[in-house]
Amino acid sequence: MAFISVFDVLGPNMIGPSSSHTAGTAVIAYLAHKMIAGPIKQVEFILYGSFSKTYKGHGTDRALLGGIMGFGTDDTRIRDSFSIAKERGLEYHFTINETETDIYPNTVDIMMTNEAGQTMTVRGESLGGGKVRIVRINGVEVDFTGEYSAIIVVHQDKPGVVAHITKCLSDRNANIAFMRLFRESRGHTAYTIVESDDHLPENIVESLKENSNVHDVMVIQS
Amino acid sequence: MDFKNAKELLKLCEEQHMQISEVMRQRECDMGETTCDIIDHKMRRVLEIMRNSATQPIKTPVRSMGGLIGGEAKKLDVHRARGESICGGVLGRAIMYSMAVLEVNATMGLIVAAPTAGSSGVVPGLLLALQEEYHISDERILDALMTAGAIGYLAMNNATVAGAVGGCQAEVGVASAMAAAAAVELMGGRPSQCLDAASTVLMNMLGLVCDPVAGLVEYPCQNRNAAGVANALTAAELALSEVPQLIPLDEMIDTMYTVGKKLPSELRETAQGGCATTPSACALCAQCF
């Protein structure tokens, strides 16, 4: 089991009322906003399970919207995220899905469109105590928590890409904690997720993109 | 320095002649690969948030998001100010602070989960009341928070602190065990007495179900935080008086976990049983979000 810190017990510092329905959802949306380039123009949240029933009373909607705007779990602006989103010209919608029940109870899909017109869909699960898991990116099943600094490399499923990724990391002396590859199907789009204990060097993005099979790179610092 | 259960923790305390708070701080430095300065800085922020959330609604009460609570801490303050409190200084204040924190939580204010949001009032409630009544320095309260953290860590490591897994006994029960141990160390008790107090709380709150009205972290959560403070204070008093606790903390944590898993899912944070399905609660649900 991972190290349990005293601040996992006395924490997170958070906007209430619920670590799973408020803090956890802010974290999921925060991670999602880090995965798309530039400002987000439009966002739709699809709420499943327990979220679909009690989201208003738990402020889940405000927390999600706050996270998308980059607010942390302890940011008091979460309360006013509707009005802040309006000021920023961010268009948002909440949709309830009560028909799909064969799904983890605290699940949300986040569909984002940025100013360049790019779209991205991220699915997250809130596990309790503010802990979360990102389980899907653009329909591909993935698995990471955001507790470590992470690089997400979107690439063609071709030989040599993983070797290129590890070389870029070792060239910068970055230590890999976990590394996993997820793919749609053989030869199609794949996602390699590298998690590291250390702060990741920002300039790694350019060198990763030097390989022609790499489509996109996202860096999420812990 | 590390420990996995209460027995190992006590052994470390006795061998090293250290308090639980000292062992926990050293563990955090060693295992978290960080410095004591960083840890102390983060803990000061924890205490600052706790103090704000425990006092703010006494001055300015706010109605909760779901509309089930709001204004309780202020009522308790008015009652105390009239000299009509039957609980006395420490308990009267502790109840008020614990309910205040849950009020802040339910109005989307800033709190520290301790160990969860729904049980966030107990630890600050009791520690801040003791601080005021006995004129205790912030430094010693910061130590007591480490002790509280040690007990919460034991429950997280060996059982659960999630209401959805173990019921309210795992949330307010564990929070109260944390508060009791912290209070014992703060008032001069030995490490073994701290662990006994925590064990007593889990024993006395064993089986408590999680049954939030309308599924919201409001009612009976806020009430149960106040009750948890009373349980913690009682257990601390027993331990400090050398009343023996016959069941060690490790065994009580195991038992709490076993009982929690045996609770039907209706009584584990699903709002499908207990208080949540009483006719009055169902009527209130219609008015909530």
Side-chain angles (χ1 to χ4, degrees):
Chain A
M1 190 189 283
F3 167 63
I4 299 173
S5 158
V6 70
F7 300 106
D8 291 324
V9 184
L10 298 175
N13 301 343
M14 55 167 276
I15 300 301
S18 163
S19 61
S20 56
H21 287 57
T22 322
T25 50
V27 174
I28 292 170
Y30 179 86
L31 292 173
H33 111 280
K34 288 278 186 185
M35 290 182 217
I36 192 163
I40 297 166
K41 190 86 191 124
Q42 202 232 319
V43 61
E44 179 174 0
F45 301 96
I46 303 172
L47 306 165
Y48 299 90
S50 166
F51 285 167
S52 68
K53 295 186 178 64
T54 62
Y55 75 101
K56 280 188 181 165
H58 283 130
T60 305
D61 43 5
R62 298 174 202 229
L64 283 167
L65 198 52
I68 277 292
M69 293 189 288
F71 303 168
T73 57
D74 60 348
D75 194 322
T76 50
R77 289 178 296 175
I78 284 177
R79 258 179 299 196
D80 306 315
S81 53
F82 292 141
S83 57
I84 298 171
K86 284 198 183 85
E87 278 166 29
R88 292 186 182 184
L90 168 62
E91 199 185 316
Y92 59 88
H93 300 281
F94 294 90
T95 308
I96 306 279
N97 184 323
E98 287 177 306
T99 50
E100 210 168 319
T101 50
D102 188 22
I103 197 166
Y104 182 80
N106 295 338
T107 298
V108 59
D109 281 338
I110 304 177
M111 301 157 81
M112 304 169 281
T113 308
N114 67 9
E115 284 184 346
Q118 290 172 305
T119 61
M120 174 170 251
T121 303
V122 173
R123 171 171 288 183
E125 297 175 351
S126 182
L127 309 175
K131 305 271 181 203
V132 306
R133 234 159 50 104
I134 300 297
V135 294
R136 214 182 261 187
I137 302 174
N138 289 340
V140 178
E141 311 242 327
V142 299
D143 183 6
F144 75 103
T145 63
E147 283 177 44
Y148 296 87
S149 292
I151 301 178
I152 302 167
V153 184
V154 189
H155 58 90
Q156 210 64 31
D157 183 36
K158 290 247 175 88
V161 180
V162 172
H164 170 68
I165 296 169
T166 54
K167 183 172 185 305
C168 289
L169 284 156
S170 63
D171 284 352
R172 281 163 189 77
N173 210 19
N175 189 41
I176 297 174
F178 308 100
M179 177 161 172
R180 275 166 297 179
L181 188 148
F182 307 88
R183 63 181 191 181
E184 281 171 348
S185 58
R186 186 172 176 160
H188 290 90
T189 305
Y191 291 80
T192 293
I193 301 182
V194 183
E195 293 175 285
S196 171
D197 303 304
D198 311 313
H199 190 85
L200 291 159
E202 295 286 345
N203 62 4
I204 199 164
V205 176
E206 285 71 41
S207 36
L208 282 167
K209 282 184 175 170
E210 280 168 15
N211 185 306
S212 61
N213 285 316
V214 171
H215 304 320
D216 202 4
V217 179
M218 306 159 234
V219 176
I220 302 170
Q221 307 285 9
S222 73
Chain B
M1 187 173 279
D2 195 17
F3 56 91
K4 296 275 177 283
N5 52 44
K7 198 176 165 189
E8 289 178 18
L9 169 59
L10 188 58
K11 192 160 170 265
L12 279 173
C13 290
E14 285 170 353
E15 283 172 1
Q16 310 287 326
H17 305 287
M18 287 163 101
Q19 297 288 342
I20 291 175
S21 57
E22 294 172 289
V23 172
M24 190 63 181
R25 180 182 280 110
Q26 194 56 52
R27 173 187 179 273
E28 191 71 21
C29 286
D30 295 350
M31 305 295 294
E33 294 174 8
T34 183
T35 66
C36 283
D37 277 355
I38 292 173
I39 294 166
D40 291 344
H41 180 76
K42 283 169 87 170
M43 200 58 102
R44 277 184 192 284
R45 177 66 183 145
V46 164
L47 179 57
E48 186 188 356
I49 297 172
M50 283 181 166
R51 184 171 285 134
N52 286 341
S53 57
T55 48
Q56 188 191 309
I58 299 169
K59 291 170 227 140
T60 41
V62 190
R63 201 89 202 130
S64 65
M65 296 283 291
L68 295 174
I69 62 169
E72 293 76 14
K74 171 105 188 168
K75 281 197 165 92
L76 286 161
D77 190 44
V78 169
H79 181 68
R80 267 172 17 88
R82 285 199 211 112
E84 292 173 1
S85 170
I86 59 170
C87 285
V90 174
L91 187 54
R93 268 186 213 279
I95 289 172
M96 175 177 70
Y97 290 147
S98 70
M99 292 190 98
V101 175
L102 266 280
E103 189 175 325
V104 168
N105 186 56
T107 52
M108 295 197 83
L110 181 59
I111 58 104
V112 181
T116 63
S119 61
S120 57
V122 183
V123 169
L126 185 52
L127 294 185
L128 293 172
L130 286 169
Q131 178 172 37
E132 274 185 43
E133 288 291 320
Y134 293 97
H135 309 292
I136 295 168
S137 68
D138 272 3
E139 272 58 39
R140 288 180 53 212
I141 297 295
L142 292 168
D143 289 343
L145 286 171
M146 274 291 168
T147 307
I151 304 299
Y153 154 69
L154 291 175
M156 267 182 165
N157 196 45
N158 300 299
T160 180
V161 299
V165 180
C168 191
Q169 54 160 8
E171 293 208 23
V172 173
V174 169
S176 308
M178 290 162 63
V184 170
E185 186 177 309
L186 199 58
M187 302 314 288
R190 299 182 305 278
S192 63
Q193 289 173 297
C194 298
L195 300 180
D196 279 356
S199 186
T200 301
V201 169
L202 292 183
M203 183 172 82
N204 293 346
M205 299 188 83
L206 194 66
L208 190 61
V209 302
C210 177
D211 48 358
V213 173
L216 303 174
V217 192
E218 299 191 6
Y219 199 88
C221 316
Q222 188 196 34
N223 257 266
R224 294 222 174 111
N225 274 258
V229 160
N231 261 289
L233 193 61
T234 304
E237 183 87 331
L238 295 182
L240 287 164
S241 312
E242 310 276 0
V243 174
Q245 164 55 261
L246 305 181
I247 304 168
L249 179 57
D250 285 328
E251 292 179 29
M252 268 327 301
I253 288 175
D254 280 352
T255 299
M256 183 274 284
Y257 196 26
T258 308
V259 168
K261 286 187 288 192
K262 282 185 180 164
L263 290 174
S265 78
E266 287 82 358
L267 300 175
R268 283 186 278 119
E269 213 180 325
T270 53
Q272 289 168 350
C275 295
T277 50
T278 56
S280 299
C282 293
L284 283 167
C285 276
Q287 298 161 32
C288 298
F289 278 125

